[in-house]
Amino acid sequence: MKKGFFAALMCALVMVLLPAAVYAEDGNFGGGDGSEDDPYIIEDAEDLKAFRDIVNGQNGKTQNSAAWAELTADIVLEQNVLDSDGSLNGDGSKFTKWTPIGTEISRYTGTFDGNGHTISGIYINTSKAYQGLFGCIGDIKNSGTGTVKNLGIEDSWISGDDNVGGIAGHSYGSITGCYNKGEGR
């Protein structure tokens, strides 16, 4: 009888801890599993970076280019990227370069809702194409996929070769209710 109780207790413990282990693998989000019904909750810069890594399938994350997410706060990646006149603050060497969410090969096809918040301090300076907070949104073969909405980009410098923008370098999807206050070349 005690062996059966112990086995049942261990099984219950595994069932409780397993979702937490899977959740921890994806990031330290404020909640959510990345689905349409339960989007990732992005509260800070680390959550945003973890979301990017999931969409791009990098830094040990399992790729999910269709993940859904919502911002619950303004996010600052870098401070004072732009001078008061809108030019790059210094030569950019003190800033960490941003890797866009979604690529030309693996386009972002989920929905990202900024909920009226901003992301500031994006710094990109490269000779590569498809540069922005998002590199490429939507799937040309499946129109209607890939949405970014209700988001502002501020105090950011984004420079690339071709297909460069604040919200996205290129979009086959939908960008609505968004704005960009930044610079780039």
Side-chain angles (χ1 to χ4, degrees):
M1 184 78 170
K2 287 183 181 181
K3 278 186 177 181
F5 174 76
F6 181 71
L9 180 63
M10 291 303 292
C11 187
L13 186 59
V14 166
M15 296 301 286
V16 168
L17 293 179
L18 184 59
V22 170
Y23 179 78
E25 175 190 343
D26 287 341
N28 297 318
F29 300 104
D33 62 11
S35 67
E36 180 178 358
D37 294 330
D38 193 16
Y40 290 123
I41 302 301
I42 298 177
E43 300 174 318
D44 57 30
E46 293 309 309
D47 290 347
L48 184 63
K49 291 172 187 174
F51 175 73
R52 175 205 51 210
D53 291 349
I54 290 168
V55 170
N56 294 352
Q58 63 189 35
N59 296 323
K61 305 291 187 198
T62 301
Q63 184 174 25
N64 180 3
S65 59
W68 286 54
E70 292 184 10
L71 288 185
T72 60
D74 294 341
I75 306 290
V76 178
L77 295 170
E78 296 284 342
Q79 296 280 343
N80 303 314
V81 171
L82 301 179
D83 285 332
S84 60
D85 66 357
S87 61
L88 180 61
N89 186 355
D91 65 1
S93 61
K94 65 182 178 182
F95 303 121
T96 301
K97 289 183 180 178
W98 175 255
T99 300
I101 301 166
T103 67
E104 180 186 12
I105 304 301
S106 180
R107 298 176 175 104
Y108 178 64
T109 59
T111 294
F112 187 94
D113 189 348
N115 286 317
H117 293 288
T118 61
I119 296 175
S120 62
I122 300 169
Y123 175 71
I124 300 173
N125 191 4
T126 183
S127 60
K128 296 178 182 179
Y130 299 95
Q131 300 299 310
L133 173 65
F134 289 83
C136 195
I137 299 170
D139 183 353
I140 193 169
K141 297 176 186 174
N142 188 6
S143 65
T145 61
T147 300
V148 177
K149 60 184 180 178
N150 310 316
L151 178 65
I153 303 296
E154 298 184 355
D155 186 33
S156 295
W157 178 270
I158 301 169
S159 179
D161 179 48
D162 193 16
N163 293 295
V164 177
I167 301 292
H170 191 84
S171 178
Y172 295 103
S174 172
I175 300 173
T176 59
C178 296
Y179 68 89
N180 175 46
K181 288 184 184 178
E183 281 293 324
R185 307 279 184 255

